[in-house]
Amino acid sequence: MPASPALKPRFQLPQFIKGETLLGSDRQIGDFDLAVPDLNSLTWPRTEPGPAFQVPIREIIDVLVATGERLAADPDGYLAEALEFSASSSDLERRIVENSFKSLPGMFTRQEIELRLEGELRNTEALEGWREVTHPSGKSARVRAFPPRLVHVLAGNVPSVAAVSVIRSALTKGVHLFKLPSNDLFSAPAILRTMAAVAPGHPVVRSFSAVYWRGGDEKIESLLFRPQFFDKLVAWGGESALRSAKNYIGPGFELVSFDPKTSISFVGREAFESAETVEAAAKAGALDATGYNQTACVASRFQFVEGSEEQVDSYCEALHRHLGVPHETSSESAGKTPEDIREEVEGLRMLEPIYRVWGRYDGTGLVVRSDEPVEFHPVAKTVNVVRVDRLDDAIRYVTVATQTVGLFPAARKAEYRDRLASAGTQRVVTLGSAFGGIAGTAHDGFFPIHRFMRWVNDED
């Protein structure tokens, strides 16, 4: 009789509570076991200041910089462990997941952290204490950027969301509860466990917890999402997650939302000055459309191109060729095109020349040219190229849900940025650089660290 195969031990998902790693097997989630924490352990009493409220910001930055250096070396293997599990569960190619994790230590350099703090808060004097303000009438007051109490609902599409959340949160000196996303259970605990290894028991380490519960679980969220525990709910994610979060918003408990957006591109007629400029514009347009295989909000899905039908078709042909080229954050194929989009596109193929289609449904690139935006949401390396006589005609398609607009050539950004901002967009970039953000600039139309803080006055 053959021997029974040995049972593979189940992995205990590490969670993090106020500086300590929490392991256990109280319940199961997929292939993992996890402990169920006492909800009382996830809050910090308002009768006491948070652990890092009075810690000098220079000391917190030193801890973050040391954390980045340890993440790069990873002697504890926490980041490698997070990478392995993320790669095994991600829809992205392993090479792309590896590139995402390699970029994390670079976010923790002193220069990047100081740029982020100066840019997003502007006034660090008010973070360290009460800043004196004097009115011309002689009346005076003091203002402080007081450390907040925040609960964060993280997104899991890339590990940089966890990294930037740790950095921004630490710089506020406040207390922070992270709700881990089901599609990235590992990045935030790995970074926080590394921070705990760098500075065990440090006040900023004791200011963080990171645990998992099912999103929308009323039994947990109705108890935690309360102003008696937290000032604000910082929510990343899709529309359903945000709708659930909004149920708890009320006086004393406000929402800071990194909500879902759509990004687009504007290509001016300068793209058709030569065969080389068509190639350059199409290559840049493909770069902006394919990052993380078009799963991120910043990925361009609609590209408005100024020119004749013949010119725009030449751009579409070049764009289709470049969509299938892999790069640092993109695979050759993004997976098969969803059935609903296939059905829509098959119908449009029959309406040529009003619509014209380049590509197949294998995820290597699909381009649909039209005179108005299509009604479906392009995914899996699908781009809708909309022909316009003038880029001015495309302004009406920009709304407050438009995150990034990539422009070609760069010289025309000055011509359009005010009108794009007025229409609702939050970010204007040179076409081809949508995935290259700069620390310290606005995010989704606001400065996150400034928004996280509680601004308190002491007036005479």
Side-chain angles (χ1 to χ4, degrees), residues 254-273:
E254 66 178 273
L255 176 66
V256 179
S257 169
F258 297 99
D259 49 8
K261 302 286 194 312
T262 297
S263 295
I264 63 175
S265 308
F266 276 28
V267 179
R269 62 177 66 255
E270 293 86 345
F272 304 107
E273 290 176 350

Side-chain angles (χ1 to χ4, degrees), residues 354-430:
I354 299 174
Y355 295 87
R356 192 172 174 194
V357 179
W358 289 258
R360 301 189 299 271
Y361 305 111
D362 57 2
T364 60
L366 185 64
V367 179
V368 179
R369 189 260 294 150
S370 60
D371 286 335
E372 291 188 344
V374 296
E375 294 184 356
F376 61 83
H377 184 69
V379 297
K381 287 195 175 184
T382 302
V383 177
N384 177 206
V385 172
V386 182
R387 192 199 70 78
V388 291
D389 291 328
R390 303 179 307 152
L391 291 182
D392 294 21
D393 299 334
I395 294 285
R396 68 179 185 275
Y397 298 114
V398 177
T399 72
V400 292
T402 305
Q403 187 209 59
T404 297
V405 180
L407 257 154
F408 182 94
R412 293 188 72 177
K413 284 193 296 182
E415 178 185 351
Y416 281 98
R417 61 193 176 198
D418 285 347
R419 279 186 283 174
L420 290 168
S422 180
T425 193
Q426 293 136 25
R427 183 169 174 250
V428 179
V429 302
T430 300

Side-chain angles (χ1 to χ4, degrees), residues 22-334:
L22 176 69
L23 298 171
S25 301
D26 298 329
R27 57 167 293 201
Q28 298 179 345
I29 170 174
D31 295 331
F32 310 114
D33 287 351
L34 78 164
V36 176
D38 177 358
L39 294 186
N40 291 320
S41 70
L42 303 180
T43 63
W44 290 258
R46 282 193 181 274
T47 53
E48 301 173 7
F53 277 20
Q54 302 300 335
V55 175
I57 193 64
R58 288 292 138 200
E59 184 177 325
I60 293 175
I61 292 175
D62 288 345
V63 171
L64 290 172
V65 172
T67 299
E69 293 169 350
R70 195 174 181 95
L71 284 170
D74 197 25
D76 313 295
Y78 297 147
L79 206 59
E81 182 180 84
L83 166 61
E84 287 302 319
F85 283 110
S86 293
S88 66
S89 60
S90 175
D91 292 331
L92 296 172
E93 185 181 342
R94 181 184 177 89
R95 172 184 60 84
I96 298 173
V97 179
E98 288 177 345
N99 288 337
S100 299
F101 275 85
K102 283 179 185 173
S103 71
L104 298 186
M107 298 172 68
F108 288 79
T109 65
R110 188 174 301 278
Q111 183 182 47
E112 288 293 301
I113 291 169
E114 290 180 348
L115 279 172
R116 188 175 298 284
L117 180 62
E118 291 290 336
E120 291 192 19
L121 188 61
R122 299 288 177 184
N123 192 325
T124 55
E125 182 187 351
L127 178 64
E128 296 288 58
W130 296 89
R131 182 174 64 88
E132 191 78 19
V133 177
T134 303
H135 189 268
S137 66
K139 191 174 180 179
S140 62
R142 287 141 297 279
V143 179
R144 182 167 183 195
F146 202 78
R149 299 168 187 269
L150 305 181
V151 54
H152 305 245
V153 177
L154 299 184
N157 47 346
V158 288
S160 59
V161 171
V164 76
S165 295
V166 169
I167 294 168
R168 284 172 173 155
S169 300
L171 293 175
T172 69
K173 304 186 181 183
V175 295
H176 304 273
L177 169 61
F178 289 173
K179 188 265 178 213
L180 300 174
S182 60
N183 58 342
D184 186 3
L185 297 165
F186 309 100
S187 299
I191 295 168
L192 293 173
R193 293 172 80 192
T194 301
M195 184 187 289
V198 164
H202 190 278
V204 75
V205 177
R206 291 188 282 111
S207 297
F208 282 97
S209 292
V211 300
Y212 173 79
W213 69 81
R214 183 178 57 81
D217 188 331
E218 290 186 14
K219 291 181 180 177
I220 295 176
E221 294 181 352
S222 63
L223 293 174
L224 289 176
F225 293 180
R226 293 183 176 188
Q228 68 194 80
F229 301 126
F230 297 102
D231 304 318
K232 304 179 185 186
L233 171 60
V234 181
W236 299 69
E239 188 172 346
S240 61
L242 289 173
R243 287 189 186 283
S244 173
K246 287 176 181 176
N247 292 333
Y248 300 98
I249 301 307
F253 187 60
E254 66 178 273
L255 176 66
V256 179
S257 169
F258 297 99
D259 49 8
K261 302 286 194 312
T262 297
S263 295
I264 63 175
S265 308
F266 276 28
V267 179
R269 62 177 66 255
E270 293 86 345
F272 304 107
E273 290 176 350
S274 67
E276 289 75 21
T277 54
V278 174
E279 282 294 306
K283 183 177 181 180
L287 275 176
D288 281 2
T290 55
Y292 297 104
N293 289 348
Q294 212 178 25
T295 58
C297 291
V298 71
S300 175
R301 300 169 197 279
F302 298 89
Q303 301 195 353
F304 298 88
V305 182
E306 185 182 54
S308 67
E309 189 170 288
E310 182 180 1
Q311 288 173 324
V312 174
D313 281 359
S314 70
Y315 175 84
C316 292
E317 184 177 343
L319 176 65
H320 171 243
R321 277 191 279 105
H322 286 289
L323 286 176
V325 177
H327 54 81
E328 184 177 348
T329 60
S330 172
S331 305
E332 180 179 357
S333 170

